[in-house]
């Protein structure tokens, strides 16, 4: 990079290369965002170049800068961008509100992946805006966004039917009815997390099983109302299921999990005998010689 930045009359300089054909798509895309923001302070020409890059950026990830981005800086970074495809703003609860997010969502209709994990200061209006502006959305993370409610989730289900992965971990306002509506409208779902939601029970899980035949990953960690019957329905209707998380689901027993276990589905709960052996090993410091195939 330093070599490219050298200015010599015989070789010219970096800025002599075509900006839109060479610099933006083939060079600047390999630099961390933090370095690009520093580079724009070199000169007015570099400032113009970086603004052109930001206007054509397909992916924005706030973690490349840090969680504490000044509000004004974030707005300025994306004010001219209308081609974003991926937007990651996880854990930006200190500064991100609807006021900063909604203009970005409203002018970017090609977004297919949005990450808002832990963005606690947003409101249901953010999810409604996403549903209305992003018809091609495929992946959405709303983990630990307790502002997500049934009405905003219904809007998402009505307008974003191409969804393949949704993370609703700790969205505690949601109940079975809202989840059922989502999966009835978004039958292409392959990955769904409902972890840490005590309001989710068998009704939702059975509807997921019947409506989402492509389902591969389901996280029900801490869903205390889920029981064996819905796990059996899941095993019957979801032949492509690859992983299921049911840790801390105290009403789910091995009698239902064994069906999935025999199919090679990855479970986060060990068989009872295996758990006992691990506990015994922790206590006495060795594993007894037991034939695990018995």
């Amino acid at each position: 990079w330093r070599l490219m930045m050298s200015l010599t009359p015989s070789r010219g300089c970096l800025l002599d290369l075509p900006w839109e054909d060479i610099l933006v798509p083939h060079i600047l895309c390999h630099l961390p965002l933090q370095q690009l923001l520093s580079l724009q302070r070199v000169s007015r020409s570099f400032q113009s170049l970086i603004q052109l890059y930001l206007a054509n950026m397909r992916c924005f990830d706030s973690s490349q800068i840090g969680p504490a981005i000044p509000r004004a800086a974030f707005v300025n970074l994306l004010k001219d961008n209308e081609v974003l495809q991926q937007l990651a703003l996880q854990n930006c609860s200190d500064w991100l509100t609807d006021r900063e997010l909604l203009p970005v969502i409203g002018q970017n209709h090609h977004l297919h992946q949005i990450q808002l994990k832990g963005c606690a200061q947003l409101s249901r209006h953010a999810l409604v805006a996403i549903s209305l502006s992003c018809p091609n959305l495929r992946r959405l993370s709303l983990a630990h966004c307790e502002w997500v409610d049934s009405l905003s989730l219904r809007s998402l289900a009505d307008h974003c039917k191409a969804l393949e992965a949704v993370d609703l971990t700790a969205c505690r306002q949601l109940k079975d009815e809202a989840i059922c509506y989502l999966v009835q409208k978004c039958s292409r779902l392959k990955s769904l997390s409902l972890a840490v939601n005590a309001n989710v029970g068998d009704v939702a899980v059975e509807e997921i099983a019947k409506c989402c035949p492509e389902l591969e990953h389901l996280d029900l960690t801490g869903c205390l109302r889920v029981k064996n019957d819905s796990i059996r329905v899941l095993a019957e209707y979801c032949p492509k299921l690859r992983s299921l998380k049911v840790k801390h689901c105290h009403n789910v027993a091995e009698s239902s999990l064994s069906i999935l276990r025999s199919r090679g589905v990855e479970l986060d709960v060990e068989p009872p005998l295996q758990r006992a052996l691990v506990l015994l090993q922790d206590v006495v410091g060795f594993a007894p010689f037991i034939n695990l195939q018995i």
Side-chain angles (χ1 to χ4, degrees):
W1 176 249
R2 291 192 184 98
L3 178 61
M4 296 178 64
M5 288 288 293
S6 64
L7 304 178
T8 61
S10 61
R11 294 187 178 182
C13 69
L14 178 67
L15 294 174
D16 290 334
L17 294 171
W19 288 17
E20 294 190 40
D21 296 331
I22 301 297
L23 293 182
V24 170
H26 298 294
I27 295 179
L28 297 186
C29 63
H30 296 291
L31 292 178
L33 188 56
Q34 186 68 54
Q35 291 186 15
L36 290 173
L37 299 183
S38 299
L39 184 61
Q40 69 178 343
R41 296 196 293 265
V42 172
S43 68
R44 290 183 180 178
S45 295
F46 274 107
Q47 183 180 24
S48 298
L49 172 61
I50 300 307
Q51 287 177 347
L52 176 64
Y53 172 80
L54 294 173
N56 290 276
M57 186 167 49
R58 299 297 198 273
C59 177
F60 180 85
D61 187 345
S62 62
S63 66
Q64 294 184 8
I65 304 175
I69 307 174
R71 285 184 171 92
F74 171 76
V75 173
N76 186 62
L77 285 173
L78 296 178
K79 63 183 177 61
D80 298 321
N81 193 305
E82 298 180 359
V83 294
L84 273 180
Q85 296 179 0
Q86 300 179 37
L87 179 63
L89 297 170
Q90 61 268 29
N91 301 317
C92 295
S93 59
D94 291 338
W95 61 271
L96 184 67
T97 67
D98 291 356
R99 184 175 180 179
E100 292 78 37
L101 180 64
L102 264 58
V104 176
I105 296 298
Q107 67 191 32
N108 283 281
H109 304 293
H110 303 289
L111 280 164
H112 59 74
Q113 183 170 326
I114 299 177
Q115 164 70 266
L116 296 175
K117 177 182 178 181
C119 293
Q121 289 196 59
L122 297 175
S123 76
R124 60 182 299 272
H125 300 295
L127 186 53
V128 173
I130 289 171
S131 67
L132 296 177
S133 297
C134 309
N136 299 314
L137 192 65
R138 294 199 301 270
R139 305 183 66 86
L140 176 64
S141 174
L142 299 168
H144 303 282
C145 293
E146 297 196 24
W147 45 265
V148 176
D149 61 11
S150 59
L151 288 177
S152 58
L153 194 70
R154 287 175 72 94
S155 179
L156 179 74
D158 285 335
H159 297 94
C160 299
K161 298 181 181 180
L163 279 167
E164 295 180 357
V166 179
D167 188 346
L168 298 173
T169 298
C171 293
R172 295 184 176 90
Q173 289 194 58
L174 300 178
K175 299 181 179 180
D176 282 349
E177 293 78 10
I179 303 303
C180 289
Y181 192 87
L182 174 69
V183 299
Q184 288 166 4
K185 297 287 186 175
C186 302
S187 58
R188 302 181 190 178
L189 280 174
K190 295 181 179 180
S191 177
L192 178 63
S193 175
L194 303 173
V196 199
N197 192 332
N199 293 318
V200 172
D202 284 345
V203 172
V205 175
E206 290 184 14
E207 196 66 16
I208 292 168
K210 294 176 181 178
C211 294
C212 302
E214 303 297 317
L215 190 68
E216 297 179 3
H217 306 283
L218 179 61
D219 189 346
L220 300 173
T221 304
C223 293
L224 304 179
R225 295 176 56 233
V226 174
K227 301 177 183 177
N228 282 324
D229 289 345
S230 62
I231 301 301
R232 293 191 182 97
V233 174
L234 194 69
E236 179 180 356
Y237 284 89
C238 296
K240 297 183 179 181
L241 192 66
R242 295 167 53 191
S243 70
L244 174 67
K245 295 183 178 181
V246 288
K247 187 172 288 187
H248 307 303
C249 295
H250 304 303
N251 294 313
V252 175
E254 184 63 23
S255 58
S256 60
L257 294 178
S258 60
I259 304 171
L260 294 168
R261 203 184 300 279
S262 65
R263 283 174 24 194
V265 176
E266 180 182 348
L267 303 172
D268 63 343
V269 176
E270 295 176 336
L273 178 58
Q274 184 65 33
R275 289 203 303 271
L277 293 178
V278 171
L279 179 62
L280 182 60
Q281 184 176 9
D282 290 341
V283 173
V284 303
F286 69 95
F289 295 99
I290 298 178
N291 186 352
L292 298 183
Q293 297 181 348
I294 295 177

